[in-house]
Amino acid sequence: MIKDVVLKTLSEQVNAEYYSAYFYLSMSAYADRAGFKGAAKWLFVQAQEETAHGTHIYQHILERGAAPAFAAISVPPVAFKSIQDVFEKVLQHEQHVTERINHIASVAMQENDHATYQFILWYVNEQIEEEATVDGILSKIRLIGDNLSILYSLDAELGTREFSDPFATTT
Ligand code: OFO
């Protein structure tokens, strides 16, 4: 049995993960139109990951004998100034998600919900990795500045990212 207060935070996180997917799709579309096909691919793969996260949290709620509260998914930003602006927004977004995840961990602890606490620790670690990855990309973009030929090499590197389901079971 899951307490209402824990269920509420988890339901909100399902929504937030699907919002994240939508947000990454919006940024991917911008990058594609701006000619940064590699960044577009990287952002698209991130959208796939966010969808996997939303589904994973949804499944955790069902496994605990509850159902999530569904809510509308907000419209993400659609206007960006540059590829640097995109990754600045990605970093801000991921920092915000980290706060949300930490909040879920705190609520789970307060409510002695050890199952949710264990479950959410995966996301605590995932956020460390995601923030570090984006911070690395952003540092490179800032260093590159207006040098388009180096920026396109970074774009090619970003385009090598492939989606791999983080929750796929290996048999
Ligand atoms: Fe869902 O992984 Fe970051 O946001």
Side-chain angles (χ1 to χ4, degrees):
M1 190 61 199
I2 193 162
K3 290 185 184 163
D4 285 351
V5 64
V6 180
L7 177 60
K8 182 172 182 294
T9 58
L10 288 172
S11 292
E12 286 168 355
Q13 194 57 30
V14 172
N15 186 282
E17 298 290 347
Y18 283 106
Y19 169 79
S20 291
Y22 224 35
F23 186 28
Y24 278 106
L25 281 182
S26 166
M27 293 185 284
S28 180
Y30 165 81
D32 184 88
R33 296 292 78 213
F36 293 102
K37 300 286 182 188
K41 168 96 179 295
W42 192 96
L43 293 158
F44 184 81
V45 169
Q46 188 62 31
Q48 290 176 293
E49 276 207 5
E50 300 299 354
T51 304
H53 295 165
T55 307
H56 183 233
I57 300 170
Y58 163 82
Q59 282 168 336
H60 172 77
I61 293 172
L62 291 191
E63 277 167 14
R64 300 290 306 283
F70 288 94
I73 297 170
S74 303
V75 177
V78 291
F80 305 95
K81 292 197 280 272
S82 63
I83 209 70
Q84 178 169 338
D85 181 41
V86 165
F87 279 92
E88 302 272 6
K89 287 189 167 58
V90 168
L91 185 59
Q92 283 164 18
H93 178 70
E94 289 304 335
Q95 287 166 341
H96 169 69
V97 172
T98 298
E99 283 172 23
R100 297 186 62 98
I101 296 292
N102 286 339
H103 174 68
I104 296 172
S106 302
V107 171
M109 257 194 298
Q110 278 158 20
E111 298 300 324
N112 284 323
D113 186 338
H114 296 255
T116 295
Y117 184 69
Q118 276 299 320
F119 173 83
I120 213 68
L121 283 185
W122 184 90
Y123 288 88
V124 172
N125 289 315
E126 171 72 1
Q127 284 306 121
I128 294 171
E129 194 187 308
E130 287 194 1
E131 280 194 39
T133 302
V134 175
D135 198 45
I137 295 170
L138 196 49
S139 302
K140 284 184 190 167
I141 293 174
R142 286 178 184 143
L143 274 175
I144 292 167
D146 291 337
N147 191 325
L148 271 185
S149 64
I150 306 181
L151 195 53
Y152 279 116
S153 315
L154 175 64
D155 188 60
E157 188 186 319
L158 292 175
T160 60
R161 183 178 187 190
E162 295 292 340
F163 176 65
S164 119
D165 184 348
F167 309 112
T169 45
T170 45
T171 48

